Amino acid sequence: AIVAHLQNFLTPHRLAGRKVLITAGATREDIDPVRFISNRSSGKMGYAIANAAIAEGADVILISGNSNLPPPANAQLISVYSAQDMYEAVMFNIESADIFIAAAAVADYRPAQVAIQKLKKTAQAELHLPLERTTDILGEVAKLEKRPFTVGFAAETQNVANYAWEKLSRKKLNMIAANQVGKNQGFDMDENALLVLWEGGEQDLGYGLKQDLAVDLLDLVIKRFMLTKHTDKVTA
Amino acid sequence: AIVAHLQNFLTPHRLAGRKVLITAGATREDIDPVRFISNRSSGKMGYAIANAAIAEGADVILISGNSNLPPPANAQLISVYSAQDMYEAVMFNIESADIFIAAAAVADYRPAQVAIQKLKKTAQAELHLPLERTTDILGEVAKLEKRPFTVGFAAETQNVANYAWEKLSRKKLNMIAANQVGKNQGFDMDENALLVLWEGGEQDLGYGLKQDLAVDLLDLVIKRFMLTKHTDKVTA
């Protein structure tokens, strides 16, 4: 306890007085009252970033989809179910945020109709499930006139760096953290490997524990955030 | 510890020397390396039945899909992912089983094609996900020439008793436990309400903790199982 107290005392608290909004975990999109579409995200990366931001003295709001992780101490945890729920919770809190880090794995598509009753097995050997696009949370945040320093994630199974550069530019993000995912990597693991990109720069954070990568990523975020603030003032 | 030892000593152990095969939890059906279709089953009912069977002295094999529950002590836990994995694990172990209790929530349909790479968001506002039937585990077990005493579950959002009687008869089950499920009942809850049906009889176990319902359900299973064994001998 004394060591933790000392560590806390020694940490620079570069985000004191700053509000950081973070999304984490997997959204679930109902097919019927029993079945849903989801993904392998465990929430570990987003929760680790929340803890790193708390250690830097930030006021943290963590908007979490499905995850079995314990809520971080000293953060406001908002639990949501679907991509639409997450979108609404983000928009409700975005105006006062200084930094927005979108680490959740949000469904891109959801069933076009949610059945009110459990779908019965039929004689049919095949079925077609019609899907529709969900609201693009990062896209909507990027459109805001007064928007926070915005960090996205790109989880891909191939061509990770290319997709990430394209997403950074298309969504006008301030920064993007790219990682390779698949059946046995990236999701639901304690380790990850991150490549961080921003306009004019990149840094490969390499492979490591998500809690260590979260600290390194947040360090980059803080440095770029401070610079943006400085630039804003200069150009104003 | 002394009380537990006494309770263990006082329990009749009606399943000593009997092998009980139980399925539990939710299967997951991959759409691509990241996304899947699943359902709200937590595994609580199946794990509670496993613990009740262990307390009766049975050799328990628990075949579990996704669940965050700790493995029961003194049971063999086989972890599976998809409906096909669960089907194969059941068939591998069914021959030596005296009793089979299918408490898992198994996907009826799975994506007809599993994408090797993560599906990219497209410009399309709508998508169609083609689904195909999975193997009917209970149906395959019921077809076996030498099959164990077979207990199914019917989890429905409406007309629960009607569906359960129909399923008991169509699948030639020895017993079926029916319960109402929905967004806020049945799945992922500590309580449940079970109606148990068999050819010529039924018993409403009412509403209660899943661990208590499991003991009551297993008591019915054991009584019917013993009777079936007796009848077999008489008619042989």
Side-chain angles (χ1 to χ4, degrees), chain A residues 160-166 168 173-178 195-199 201-203:
Chain A
V160 179
N162 287 351
Y163 280 132
W165 278 117
E166 185 272 328
L168 178 81
L173 306 177
N174 296 100
M175 188 176 270
I176 195 163
L195 172 69
V196 185
L197 313 176
W198 58 91
E199 207 188 306
E202 64 176 273
Q203 188 162 333

Side-chain angles (χ1 to χ4, degrees), chain A residues 28, chain B residues 40-44 185-191 210:
Chain A
R28 290 182 168 182
Chain B
R40 297 173 186 269
S41 172
S42 61
K44 282 175 187 165
Q185 58 187 335
F187 279 153
D188 205 15
M189 310 275 285
D190 290 329
E191 292 88 19
K210 284 181 177 174

